[in-house]
Amino acid sequence: MSEVFLVTGASRGIGAAIALEAARRGYAVAVNYNSSAQAAQELVAQIEAEDGKARAFAADVSTSEGAARLFAEVDAAMGRVGVLVNNAGVIGGVVPIEEIDAATLKFAFEANVFSAFYCAREAVKRMSRRHGGTGGAIVNMSSAAARHGGMPSEAHYAASKGAIDSFTLALAKEVGGQGIRVNALRPGLIDTAIHSAHGGKALVDKVGPTVPLGRAGTAQEVADAALWLASPQSSYVHGALVDVSGGR
């Protein structure tokens, strides 16, 4: 049986690229989505057309109940998760600090931070040798915004990704002895729809040349890094924050 590779928020963008690449490398992929059912099913169809294995699972992993239900459904349909990529997340809107409110913070931190805690909890229950598992890998999706502050009026987003960095380091110390490797990726300017609030493609084209490598990155480049962190090729990489940012 192929090892089960779960990607949260996998219906589009970086998550979809990771899911597709995982399937191409022989994993059985669990494609999690919240509201984008059509995009998730289209991704599954693409994977199957390439003779890969995938299933789509609807769940709101920003809630404890949603994360628990997701893993239970994956258990029943595909088996134990061996790799978790905590990719689900949101920008949370362009909100100047003068306008920040509880709703904005709640939305951003539940989607970006709470989801990672809840899904890691469920993954550790299945991967940990202490719980009868055989080990595994967790890759958290942070952002270069965690260290440079991100786009204007997105302090809530940058702060939530800073929390992911800290969570990654703490979790790595907690579960490394249980056979679970934990790392994070910090993408920089990546050419995906996530920048739509700031002008989309126009922003990417404007900022791209200011990156030391002279261009924006691609979702595929982030996916390749994620698959490396999930693989035995990175067997001694643990508690690392890996920038995929072209030097920015």
Side-chain angles (χ1 to χ4, degrees):
M1 180 181 292
S2 302
E3 187 173 17
V4 178
F5 191 115
L6 170 59
V7 186
T8 65
S11 59
R12 62 190 68 210
I14 288 173
I18 293 172
L20 183 58
E21 186 61 29
R24 288 171 173 166
R25 299 193 190 191
Y27 291 96
V29 182
V31 175
N32 163 248
Y33 68 95
N34 185 13
S35 58
S36 303
Q38 181 176 346
Q41 294 297 344
E42 289 173 353
L43 176 59
V44 169
Q46 181 180 356
I47 289 171
E48 291 177 340
E50 296 183 11
D51 297 322
K53 299 177 182 178
R55 290 191 62 164
F57 297 87
D60 179 0
V61 293
S62 71
T63 70
S64 178
E65 297 79 7
R69 179 170 55 80
L70 169 62
F71 275 79
E73 291 181 358
V74 173
D75 285 343
M78 304 182 75
R80 182 188 70 89
V81 171
V83 178
L84 166 65
V85 178
N86 273 319
N87 174 74
V90 299
I91 292 293
V94 179
V95 185
I97 194 64
E98 299 95 330
E99 299 174 15
I100 208 75
D101 57 14
T104 299
L105 293 175
K106 183 173 185 291
F107 180 54
F109 277 78
E110 285 183 344
N112 297 347
V113 183
F114 288 21
S115 66
F117 273 82
Y118 296 144
C119 289
R121 176 194 68 197
E122 297 301 317
V124 169
K125 289 178 181 178
R126 291 155 173 82
M127 297 176 183
S128 172
R129 292 172 184 154
R130 192 171 68 184
H131 294 285
T134 58
I138 296 173
V139 180
N140 293 324
M141 195 60 64
S142 180
S143 169
R147 54 177 172 75
H148 65 55
M151 294 292 185
S153 300
E154 290 181 1
H156 50 289
Y157 173 75
S160 73
K161 292 303 184 179
I164 289 296
D165 285 1
S166 295
F167 173 56
T168 299
L169 298 174
L171 185 62
K173 292 180 179 180
E174 183 174 343
V175 302
Q178 300 173 39
I180 305 171
R181 288 191 305 108
V182 183
N183 296 287
L185 286 177
R186 297 198 294 195
L189 181 69
I190 306 299
D191 190 1
T192 68
I194 199 170
H195 301 294
S196 59
H198 291 281
K201 182 66 174 173
L203 171 79
V204 172
D205 291 344
K206 178 181 179 181
V207 179
T210 71
V211 174
L213 282 186
R215 63 175 177 85
T218 67
Q220 182 61 48
E221 288 173 311
V222 182
D224 288 339
L227 267 294
W228 177 71
L229 286 176
S231 76
Q233 281 69 45
S234 64
S235 57
Y236 202 56
V237 181
H238 183 58
L241 309 176
V242 180
D243 285 353
V244 187
S245 63
R248 179 173 181 261

